[in-house]
């Protein structure tokens, strides 16, 4: 019973076509995140190598995996800052870049989400109520 939700979640990858599509979309998403991180670097380092944008996104992802404050405040910045300083980049500029990257990663998706809400004619409160209703309909988890 404990592993059943995990096993059910693997059903999507049992079909090779669905797995390939999911893997492809994931790779494209990570690649584009790295490109956006690299483009943002031009505001801080005009000669930044392409790979550094991807390294920044990878470091940020690892920083978000560490338990921390909501939205990864602190752990996100520390991971990006640590990688850049370890590679010899200026600490002050690295810190500023980490904060700018985090801000970009929070603001841009939020604006797209707000646009989608407006386009669908929904309010944030309606979305919250729908999420609460869906959560109330779920059966309580059983602890073995």
């Amino acid at each position: 019973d404990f592993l059943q939700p995990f096993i059910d979640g693997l059903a999507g990858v049992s079909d090779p076509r669905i797995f390939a599509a999911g893997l492809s979309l994931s790779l494209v998403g990570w690649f584009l995140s790295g490109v956006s991180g690299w483009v943002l670097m031009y505001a801080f380092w005009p000669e930044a190598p392409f790979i550094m944008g991807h390294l920044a996104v990878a470091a940020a992802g690892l920083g978000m995996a560490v338990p921390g404050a909501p939205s990864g405040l602190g752990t996100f910045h520390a991971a990006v800052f640590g990688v850049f300083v370890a590679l010899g980049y200026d600490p002050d500029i690295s810190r500023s870049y980490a904060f700018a990257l985090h801000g970009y990663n929070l603001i841009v998706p939020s604006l797209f989400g707000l646009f989608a809400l407006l386009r669908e004619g929904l309010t944030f409160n309606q979305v919250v109520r729908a999420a609460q209703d869906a959560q109330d309909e779920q059966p309580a988890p059983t602890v073995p």
Side-chain angles (χ1 to χ4, degrees):
D1 287 341
F2 176 73
L3 290 177
Q4 193 58 45
F6 175 75
I7 294 168
D8 292 343
L10 293 176
V13 296
S14 63
D15 182 347
R17 290 182 347 156
I18 293 174
F19 176 75
L23 179 63
S24 299
L25 288 172
S26 181
L27 291 173
V28 168
W30 279 105
F31 178 77
L32 292 176
S33 288
V35 170
S36 69
W38 175 66
V39 170
L40 180 64
M41 288 182 78
Y42 273 93
F44 300 89
W45 299 284
E47 302 288 328
F50 182 68
I51 193 68
M52 289 305 292
H54 298 281
L55 184 60
V57 170
L62 289 174
M64 294 295 285
V66 175
S71 79
L73 194 62
T75 56
F76 181 104
H77 309 98
V80 174
F81 172 79
V83 165
F84 277 73
V85 170
L87 292 173
Y89 284 77
D90 180 80
D92 291 331
I93 297 174
S94 298
R95 187 178 303 107
S96 297
Y97 173 74
F99 277 94
L101 182 64
H102 196 208
Y104 172 81
N105 285 334
L106 289 173
I107 292 169
V108 172
S110 296
L111 291 176
F112 277 109
L114 287 173
F115 173 75
L117 283 176
L118 292 172
R119 185 166 182 225
E120 293 296 320
L122 295 171
T123 67
F124 188 71
N125 286 336
Q126 289 172 312
V127 174
V128 169
R129 268 189 252 116
Q132 288 171 339
D133 291 344
Q135 187 177 21
D136 291 342
E137 293 174 7
Q138 299 240 342
T142 57
V143 179

